């Protein structure tokens, strides 16, 4: 269990910019982040791994949970 931060994000924000925001919030370096999005009611989180993709196109909707994992090594 980590900390939780609630933010309103523009759908045009890229996953790369989301990483930068997550780095400030979580102190996990952007290069080590593994990002996932979990929709309300979704059984499994989906990986967010294309840094150039806008989050709206990656399926991030209002109320979605972004999960920040720190990669090993």
């Amino acid at each position: 269990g980590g900390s939780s931060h609630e933010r309103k994000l523009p759908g045009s924000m890229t996953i790369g910019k989301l990483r930068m925001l997550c780095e400030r919030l979580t102190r996990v370096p952007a290069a080590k982040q593994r990002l996932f999005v979990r929709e309300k009611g979704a059984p499994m989180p989906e990986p967010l791994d294309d840094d150039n993709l806008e989050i709206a196109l990656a399926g991030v909707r209002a109320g979605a949970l972004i999960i920040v994992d720190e990669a090993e090594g």
Side-chain angles (χ1 to χ4, degrees), residues 16-53:
K17 289 212 172 83
L18 178 62
R19 269 182 210 285
M20 295 304 179
L21 176 65
C22 290
E23 179 172 351
R24 288 204 302 273
L25 294 174
T26 65
R27 305 278 184 259
V28 176
K32 288 194 146 191
Q33 290 172 18
R34 291 168 55 214
L35 297 184
F36 299 87
V37 59
R38 185 161 187 181
E39 293 297 327
K40 281 186 174 144
M44 293 291 296
E46 296 287 326
L48 296 174
D49 41 26
D50 180 351
D51 281 0
N52 298 312
L53 196 61

Side-chain angles (χ1 to χ4, degrees), residues 2 4 6 10-11 13-14 16 19 22 33 42 47 50 61 63 68:
S4 179
E6 201 162 312
M13 177 183 246
T14 61
R19 269 182 210 285
C22 290
Q33 290 172 18
D50 180 351
R61 310 266 179 269
V68 183

